[in-house]
Amino acid sequence: MGFAGKKLCIDLGNEKSTITPLSPDDARPLIGGKGYAAEMLLENTKPGIDPLGAENVIILATGPITATRIPATGRMCFVTKSPLTNTYNDSHVGGHFASEMKHAGYDYIMIKGKSETPVYIYIKDEDIQIRDATSLWGKDSFAAEEAIKNLHNDRRIRVASIGPAGENSVRFACVNIDLYRQAARGGVGAVMGSKNLKAIAIKGSGFIEIHDVDTFDKYVKECYKAIEEDEGLYTMKRWGTGRSVIWSSYTSLYPTRNYQSSTFEGAEKLAGEEMERKIWIKRKACFGCPIHCGHLAVIRGDSKYAGAVVEGLEYETTALLGANCGVDNLEAVTYANMLCDKLGLDTLSAGGTIAWAMECYEKGLITDKETDGLKLEFGNEEALIEMIRAIAYRKGLGDMLAEGTRRASEKIGGREFAMHVKGLELPGWAIRAAPSMGLAYATADRGGCHQRAWPISFDLGSETPDGKIVERFAPHGKAYPTKYQQDITASLYSLIACDFATGTIGVDRYIALLNAATGWDYDREEFMKTGERIWNLIRIYNIREGLRKEDDSLPDRIHTDPLPEGPAKGRKLSSEDFGIMLREYYEVRGWDENGVPRAETLQRLGLAGKSF
Amino acid sequence: MTHRAIVVDQMKCNGCQICEIHCSRIKEGKVWPEASRIQIFPFFPGLDIVVVCQQCENPSCVDVCPTDAFFRDEETAAISIDSEKCIGCGACAEACPLGAIFFHPENGKAVKCDLCGGYPECVKRCPENALEYRMTPFDATANPSEIAQNMKKKLVIVE
């Protein structure tokens, strides 16, 4: 109940697929979704494997409440060893693939091995085919999705595909779903490409059983009411994540010109309000979601970018492809966004890497010789667009940038302003105006990620989960709120819930819904503890893969360069202060001074015996 | 005879499938999009085309049925199917210009919108108000692909 009840394993090496039953009892200690997938990754891969080798696996994970009618549960995640960070990666994506996958009868699909020639996987309920994709190889993501739908003559097939970037092993290549939704972060697309797997197409005709329908319906009704009445969600429904652009820049949180500043003078031109006025023509939603935060953007008229169509732009994209590259032309950023989707690049890492290259160019580390005369300066929208193409096809300088900021900076210098954590380029929330976010990035399970904890609100004055108010720029007291959010998010991502609904629906309601769907008897304490268990399990995996304390760190710029403008002008996060935060964090986590979980912590969480 | 039907504002649809969720709940007692009598078909570049029976005045589906399984509801004027009579041959689905007749995923018989006895659940639930239950003098003529092409033309989207 809640679960579809089956796991599918496809070995591309010998073209064999096996269906095994999934017992909800097995999933229960880790809920499902991200948690159970993390354990699958731990158990199905050998330590130290090459993420782009045949031994790596990709796990498509849904949760026990996916494809039910709880609002905002259309999400799923792709779990794999990341070629960008060499550690754990789960990349979440909305759209309609997750629900289709569960309707086809699968909670998990694990893909292993490597095909000799390009293939795509076609799944229609229990009919599983590994089909030739020679004619699809080289096509962009949009064209590949269209070709597959046409081939099977079914518009309702859902397709997860990679573009040329994934084929060319760009380390931050994404997986594209429903044209404009991406499992973007950490390079899942490159892993697919390394397996010669162009796409996974799925169609399901089943349904999900609910354990206690009456109770379930009662809580779903409450969810809908809460969503309708929550005034805070009005802006999300209207402007999507673009609602945060102006506020973020005003608060010094909007990364600008490779994080040199956190206030962007052109923020208003990239805001959701501006998109509503200029480019949006309709709204887009994931399966069963009444929040519908997505928008379809079309560039029309006599613009040189006319004809560009993309879903978005999301806040993160405006921050990384826009402000961080110094570009304030909304139409250009829209076009760049579309190009990233089409060619299969993560807009965040692409923006982060290009911004780093722009700074290198301005500082002379990259010259006209490498760029072939291209003026790779901040604010040059043509250079931004050219570099996206160059990276996706690994042409010229793009070949080096396709390795990501960390590897590129190890090669040519500029490490002190290479804005990444563990190799994953930082997202669009700057640190120096909200130091807690630095701790969240440094300790996130997949590298520089804003979705594991977002403690900025505590720095700005919200009460912490233990009822305290922290001092914004002081290092103390930041560890517990961050840990709390990480734990609860790990559990919610195992359901799999969406960030934009969790605040409104509330954890208690999610637990009630989980219990009604599955017949379990989770309470808040167990739910929290499960999150902590998942977090520690992933830590074990990461340590096994070579993660050390030094990796829980931030780019030098955060410690050395004070913010040049805005309300947090002059602020930086000193290494000493960061050291205090990290020490406190290890302490509240029950980890030793090297960030390794103590035996008693693992014992308490029921993880004793898991080896690093 | 004048008739009412579910009229769709295609530009308003965001593709959320909430109509499908509730249609299948009413008709089948569970969330089961493949068994829904209203279905959304995604078209490049991001258009969502809603397909639901327009209850035509001159319905081609009725004419071609070899077992006379179709009948018009006296109360709502909805064209309905007697599932006892339906043999699942698919002639009706073939004849419908809109493609608004679907096949039940379990028994393979034809299913279509019957307006829920005059209180269509999908209309009530659509979060975008893209569906309206009102009188329409038009028979269905275009298929989803043609509707999408037409929208693209109006939006000046060139592929």
Side-chain angles (χ1 to χ4, degrees), chain A residues 69 96 103 146 155-156 158 180 203-207 217 224 281-285 287-288 292 300 309, chain B residues 11 13-18 20 25 30-34 39-40 42-46 48 128 155-156:
Chain A
R69 64 189 195 89
H96 302 257
H103 291 142
E146 277 305 289
R155 299 300 316 170
R156 278 165 71 90
R158 304 294 174 176
Y180 310 117
K203 176 79 187 281
S205 66
F207 53 86
D217 282 356
Y224 268 87
I281 56 159
K282 77 195 261 311
R283 291 204 276 228
K284 297 287 286 176
F287 178 81
H292 46 64
R300 305 179 63 197
V309 185
Chain B
M11 277 305 288
C13 175
N14 64 29
C16 69
Q17 294 183 277
I18 286 177
E20 299 179 13
R25 269 184 86 221
K30 46 188 82 116
V31 176
W32 194 2
E34 269 306 282
Q39 294 194 4
I40 300 169
F43 278 86
F44 188 82
D48 301 288
E128 295 281 22
L155 290 167
V156 212

Side-chain angles (χ1 to χ4, degrees), chain A residues 179-180 284 296-298 309-310, chain B residues 43-47 152 157 159:
Chain A
L179 301 174
Y180 310 117
K284 297 287 286 176
L296 194 70
V298 179
V309 185
V310 75
Chain B
F43 278 86
F44 188 82
L47 304 174
K152 269 188 263 185
I157 297 173
E159 274 176 47

Side-chain angles (χ1 to χ4, degrees), chain A residues 141-209:
Chain A
S141 265
F142 300 169
E145 181 169 333
E146 277 305 289
I148 291 172
K149 285 183 170 181
N150 290 337
L151 200 66
H152 295 276
N153 196 22
D154 189 348
R155 299 300 316 170
R156 278 165 71 90
I157 291 178
R158 304 294 174 176
V159 181
S161 64
I162 58 166
E167 296 174 11
N168 297 328
S169 298
V170 176
R171 286 184 188 265
F172 45 89
C174 68
V175 178
N176 232 59
I177 286 173
D178 289 341
L179 301 174
Y180 310 117
R181 297 250 168 200
Q182 288 79 28
R185 308 236 66 198
V188 192
V191 181
M192 260 177 82
S194 73
K195 296 187 174 307
N196 265 324
L197 178 60
K198 180 69 180 176
I200 307 157
I202 199 157
K203 176 79 187 281
S205 66
F207 53 86
I208 299 303
E209 299 266 19

Side-chain angles (χ1 to χ4, degrees), chain A residues 6-23:
Chain A
K6 281 184 290 189
K7 282 189 280 189
L8 170 62
C9 178
I10 299 172
D11 189 334
L12 293 175
N14 59 17
E15 299 198 6
K16 279 215 170 83
S17 58
T18 14
I19 297 171
T20 46
L22 172 80
S23 151

Side-chain angles (χ1 to χ4, degrees), chain A residues 36 40 44 96 126 139 179 211 213 264 419 470 537 545 571:
Chain A
Y36 189 66
M40 285 170 75
N44 285 285
H96 302 257
E126 296 217 336
K139 274 192 176 17
L179 301 174
H211 171 76
V213 179
F264 186 48
M419 304 307 289
V470 295
L537 181 75
E545 298 306 316
R571 292 286 175 183

Side-chain angles (χ1 to χ4, degrees), chain A residues 125-389:
Chain A
D125 298 326
E126 296 217 336
D127 176 17
I128 297 139
Q129 304 171 16
I130 299 169
R131 299 173 64 113
D132 176 45
T134 317
S135 65
L136 298 176
W137 207 252
K139 274 192 176 17
D140 66 57
S141 265
F142 300 169
E145 181 169 333
E146 277 305 289
I148 291 172
K149 285 183 170 181
N150 290 337
L151 200 66
H152 295 276
N153 196 22
D154 189 348
R155 299 300 316 170
R156 278 165 71 90
I157 291 178
R158 304 294 174 176
V159 181
S161 64
I162 58 166
E167 296 174 11
N168 297 328
S169 298
V170 176
R171 286 184 188 265
F172 45 89
C174 68
V175 178
N176 232 59
I177 286 173
D178 289 341
L179 301 174
Y180 310 117
R181 297 250 168 200
Q182 288 79 28
R185 308 236 66 198
V188 192
V191 181
M192 260 177 82
S194 73
K195 296 187 174 307
N196 265 324
L197 178 60
K198 180 69 180 176
I200 307 157
I202 199 157
K203 176 79 187 281
S205 66
F207 53 86
I208 299 303
E209 299 266 19
I210 299 296
H211 171 76
D212 177 355
V213 179
D214 290 343
T215 311
F216 188 82
D217 282 356
K218 185 185 125 212
Y219 283 109
V220 171
K221 206 170 172 183
E222 277 186 29
C223 292
Y224 268 87
K225 194 154 176 276
I227 286 171
E228 203 176 306
E229 287 171 357
D230 187 343
E231 291 198 9
L233 269 183
Y234 169 79
T235 50
M236 179 58 84
K237 289 175 184 166
R238 183 162 171 187
W239 297 303
T241 52
R243 69 177 176 171
S244 304
V245 172
I246 293 171
W247 172 80
S248 172
S249 179
Y250 179 79
T251 322
S252 272
L253 293 169
Y254 203 48
T256 300
R257 295 184 185 83
N258 196 34
Y259 272 77
Q260 293 183 66
S261 174
S262 296
T263 307
F264 186 48
E265 68 284 357
E268 279 178 25
K269 295 187 191 165
L270 299 174
E273 292 85 338
E274 189 73 356
M275 295 183 223
E276 184 184 58
R277 274 193 288 273
K278 298 218 167 127
I279 58 174
W280 285 342
I281 56 159
K282 77 195 261 311
R283 291 204 276 228
K284 297 287 286 176
C286 299
F287 178 81
C289 184
I291 300 174
H292 46 64
C293 65
H295 297 81
L296 194 70
V298 179
I299 306 288
R300 305 179 63 197
D302 51 7
S303 160
K304 68 172 159 178
Y305 303 109
V309 185
V310 75
E311 200 179 316
L313 293 44
E314 298 301 330
Y315 166 87
E316 297 292 333
T317 303
T318 68
L320 275 301
L321 287 178
N324 208 35
C325 292
V327 176
D328 65 0
N329 178 354
L330 178 62
E331 293 181 346
V333 181
T334 306
Y335 187 81
N337 186 167
M338 183 198 72
L339 210 54
C340 283
D341 290 3
K342 202 171 168 171
L343 302 178
L345 291 169
D346 169 18
T347 55
L348 280 73
S349 282
T353 306
I354 294 170
W356 171 82
M358 285 173 164
E359 190 166 346
C360 286
Y361 182 80
E362 295 198 346
K363 292 203 155 100
L365 290 167
I366 292 173
T367 63
D368 281 332
K369 193 171 146 243
E370 284 91 28
T371 66
D372 216 1
L374 186 73
K375 299 279 169 236
L376 194 54
E377 292 154 344
F378 286 113
N380 184 351
E381 57 192 60
E382 272 125 34
L384 167 70
I385 287 162
E386 206 37 62
M387 281 324 296
I388 289 172
R389 287 204 185 93

